[in-house]
Structure formats: C-alpha cells, structure tokens
Amino acid sequence: MKMTLLAMVQNILSDMDSEEINSISDSNEAEQIAKVIENTYFNLIATRIIPEHAQSIKLTSFSSSARPTHFSFPTRVKDIEFLDYNVSRKVGGVEYRRLTYLSPDEFFGLSDRRDSLASNVLQVPDVASDSTLLIRNDIMPSYYTSFDDENVVLDSYMASVDSTLTSSKTRAYGTKYPTFDSFSDTFIPDVDDVMFPFMLAEAKSTAMSLFKSGADPKIEQSARRQKVYVQNDMHRLNVGRPKNNYGRR
C-alpha cells in the first residue's frame, strides 16, 4: 500500500475538509502537510529498526598520515552492527577480518600497554578524546572504537602495505537514514508496505492536532491499531521472536 507524497497529502487534506490540490505546491497548507509527513517519517525511522534501511557501509577514511587509522561515519548513518577490514597483504587480495569493538576505556588500555618510543609505534593525536593514541604500524588492525560517536579509530595498520587504512577496504553493516523530498509530488518514502498505514495515520493525527484543533478519535484509534500491527510485522523474512536465554549460550 505504498503511496506518493502527493497522494498522502491529498488524503489528509480530504479528511480535514480542506481545499483539493493537484500538486503539493498548490497551497501553503499542502506544503505544511508535506512537512508534517516528513517529520512523522523521521520520527518513525529514528525510533524503530527498519529492516530495509540496513545495508553494507564503507567508512570514510581520514587519509591522513597523522591519523592513519581514523575514519568517519558517512552522512546519514544511524549505526553499525559490525566492522570488517580487508587485511590481505597481496595486491588485489581479499581477506576480511571481523574487528572487535572495544569501549574507549578498553582501547585506551590497549594503547597504553604499547611502547611509545618503539619504531613500530606511531603517536597519534586523537580528534575527540584529547589524548595521544599509540598505534602500531606493522600489523593489520584487530580492534576499533569511537570516542565521540562520529569518528572510528582502529588500533593498527601495516605501513608496508598501505600508508593509511583505506575506505575501500572497510566493510561495515548497519542502518542508514534515507533521504526525504518533501516537495516532490511523486516521491515515495522508503518504508515497506506495512509501515505506510501507520505513518499516514500518525501524520493525519498530527495534522489534525496542529491545524484543526484536535485529532479525530477514529484517526487516533487507527494510529494506535497500526502501531501495534507494525511492531509485530517488521521483517520480510521470518526472523522469529526474541527469546530470553537467561545468560545461557
């Protein structure tokens, strides 16, 4: 039941007994409704795990000899579940290693155990922690952390292979926020069919409250019903219901 943005705006305007439109740009009210839908959409995807927004992600390398193992998150990345790095020493080779996440405290502990004056250790000023990290330059990375939730730091690199770690050799998997064109009549928000009725009902309820002095009880009831349905039917594949293992492996 996917709908274009124009169709959703027309649907809401109709329930509000407002003027009919042929394009979102036809009235200020239509543009306001489109912005309500946009805000509803981002509120929806920010507070829920939307399976179709998960994808393979490449981090953005600093490409800096001063910070050879630093990366930043690309724009619109919400989170990553894991991070791999191609540790092959051969030109054109592929050998991904699953890196282990360390908390900032654990990463500091790893760094502080290294000899700061050793020839295979580089003193790296971090951009977020206001600290000097001791990064090995003779082994492929095994660990990573983030001190500010904006940048990612790996623990080592092999200078004889690459002068810095590179974006092309990263392979993360996580969630990336999609874009939203609130002024395009033909734009279709990037959520699956299951989410559309809930998003429309929430937007309609919000629009009623903002522009018509209170939501209609039937619309509120529909929004609540769609919310329950969406929470129980998020994945296209049957991933099963989570079970508490009470600490057992």
Side-chain angles (χ1 to χ4, degrees), residues 177-208:
Y177 290 119
T179 57
F180 193 103
D181 189 349
S182 59
F183 297 102
S184 170
D185 291 342
T186 58
F187 174 72
I188 299 176
D190 185 15
V191 292
D192 62 27
D193 292 0
V194 173
M195 301 291 293
F196 256 81
F198 176 49
M199 181 173 64
L200 179 61
E202 285 285 294
K204 191 174 297 185
S205 176
T206 300
M208 287 286 189

Side-chain angles (χ1 to χ4, degrees), residues 62 66-67 69-71 104 107-108 111 123-135 145-149 151-154:
F62 275 36
R67 296 183 177 91
T69 65
H70 275 64
F71 293 86
F107 198 90
F108 280 140
S111 170
Q123 296 186 29
V124 174
D126 182 52
V127 294
S129 64
D130 193 27
S131 178
T132 298
L133 303 174
L134 303 180
I135 302 298
T145 195
S146 178
F147 297 105
D148 58 0
D149 219 28
N151 301 297
V152 177
V153 186
L154 278 59

Side-chain angles (χ1 to χ4, degrees), residues 232-245:
N232 290 319
D233 192 14
M234 293 283 286
H235 293 269
R236 290 190 177 187
L237 295 179
N238 182 8
V239 298
R241 293 182 178 273
K243 297 180 180 179
N244 193 333
N245 63 8

Side-chain angles (χ1 to χ4, degrees), residues 8 34-48 50 52-53 176-181 187-192 195-196 199 202-203:
M8 287 189 285
K35 294 302 291 185
V36 167
I37 296 172
E38 179 182 13
N39 292 335
T40 302
Y41 172 74
F42 281 114
N43 287 339
L44 183 68
I45 66 176
T47 57
R48 288 167 177 78
I50 310 297
E52 59 267 33
H53 294 167
K176 195 170 185 178
Y177 290 119
T179 57
F180 193 103
D181 189 349
F187 174 72
I188 299 176
D190 185 15
V191 292
D192 62 27
M195 301 291 293
F196 256 81
M199 181 173 64
E202 285 285 294

Side-chain angles (χ1 to χ4, degrees), residues 73-178:
F73 289 108
T75 57
R76 306 198 317 275
V77 169
K78 178 182 180 182
D79 55 45
I80 62 172
E81 293 184 23
F82 60 78
L83 175 60
D84 299 336
Y85 193 81
N86 182 2
V87 298
S88 175
R89 304 182 188 184
K90 301 176 181 178
V91 177
V94 177
E95 183 186 342
Y96 282 106
R97 172 185 293 172
R98 179 63 48 85
L99 305 184
T100 301
Y101 171 78
L102 298 180
S103 69
D105 182 55
E106 292 171 324
F107 198 90
F108 280 140
L110 174 68
S111 170
D112 291 346
R113 288 193 295 270
R114 294 171 174 173
D115 182 354
S116 63
L117 299 179
S119 60
N120 65 340
V121 173
L122 182 68
Q123 296 186 29
V124 174
D126 182 52
V127 294
S129 64
D130 193 27
S131 178
T132 298
L133 303 174
L134 303 180
I135 302 298
R136 286 188 60 173
N137 61 17
D138 61 341
I139 56 173
M140 289 294 186
S142 295
Y143 303 97
Y144 72 102
T145 195
S146 178
F147 297 105
D148 58 0
D149 219 28
E150 294 289 338
N151 301 297
V152 177
V153 186
L154 278 59
D155 70 303
S156 61
Y157 71 112
M158 186 168 284
S160 61
V161 176
D162 291 309
S163 59
T164 69
L165 297 183
T166 64
S167 297
S168 62
K169 292 187 176 182
T170 63
R171 184 179 65 184
Y173 184 80
T175 304
K176 195 170 185 178
Y177 290 119

